[in-house]
Amino acid sequence: MATPSPSPVHPVLRRSAAPPAALDLLAKARSGLAEAAALTRPGERYATAHLAALRAAAAVLAARGRPEPASGRRRPRIRSAWELLPEMAPELAEWSALFASGAERRARAEAGIADAASGRDADDLVRAVAMFVRLVERMLALPPPPQDGPAGPPQIPSQPLPQPPPERPDAR
């Protein structure tokens, strides 16, 4: 069988059919990832990156999800996004397992336990979440956010995010 020659026609980017809730969750995932990359404490960076992954997973669930059938007697048990994701998006099962395995570490980091995550753990998670967010963007047929500079994978900002002004002028 002959191999077809590559087509000179370029694919046309189409508008996403993702619901607004999914798009909002994905935007929050991107924002959380940028925030995580700017944090200096490994535990905070780890927890914030893990939350960004959770928001990206929630975006997939919002786009592909279907409501649980209502049963007359009992409410269905609560299930984590990491349990639901492989059912709704089997192609993300390995990602789901990776992030599910980090949920306990995230809880320890959020509790302020100093050795919950090392700098290496946090850096590895930030990189993994960046790949996961890009994958979810492609799944939802979204163009990646605009980048300044040469083409390539999106770079995570190295500068801290601007801080909001104090609520009271005298609270400096």
Side-chain angles (χ1 to χ4, degrees):
M1 182 177 215
T3 307
S5 62
S7 172
V9 178
H10 297 286
V12 177
L13 291 177
R14 58 187 167 95
R15 281 204 148 128
S16 173
L23 301 177
D24 183 52
L25 286 162
L26 191 54
K28 287 179 180 177
R30 282 189 207 118
S31 175
L33 181 58
E35 180 183 352
L39 293 170
T40 57
R41 291 190 193 140
E44 290 178 354
R45 194 164 64 245
Y46 189 95
T48 304
H50 195 274
L51 181 60
L54 187 58
R55 287 180 172 146
V60 173
L61 296 175
R64 291 193 179 179
R66 53 189 177 273
E68 295 265 339
S71 63
R73 297 188 150 238
R74 294 175 135 181
R75 291 176 46 191
R77 75 175 181 90
I78 296 173
R79 299 169 59 200
S80 78
W82 305 127
E83 288 179 77
L84 294 170
L85 192 60
E87 293 174 16
M88 300 293 169
E91 64 272 27
L92 298 177
E94 289 181 27
W95 287 102
S96 182
L98 171 74
F99 295 127
S101 71
E104 184 179 334
R105 181 175 283 171
R106 173 185 163 208
R108 291 171 42 90
E110 287 177 331
I113 297 172
D115 64 347
S118 69
R120 170 98 188 241
D121 294 332
D123 292 342
D124 289 347
L125 186 66
V126 167
R127 280 190 294 277
V129 173
M131 287 189 283
F132 182 63
V133 168
R134 285 192 302 268
L135 181 61
V136 169
E137 288 170 345
R138 282 188 224 129
M139 284 180 64
L140 299 180
L142 297 175
Q147 295 290 316
D148 294 333
Q155 298 297 314
I156 298 171
S158 59
Q159 302 172 4
L161 297 174
Q163 297 300 312
E167 291 184 15
R168 298 186 330 234
D170 61 332
R172 290 187 190 247

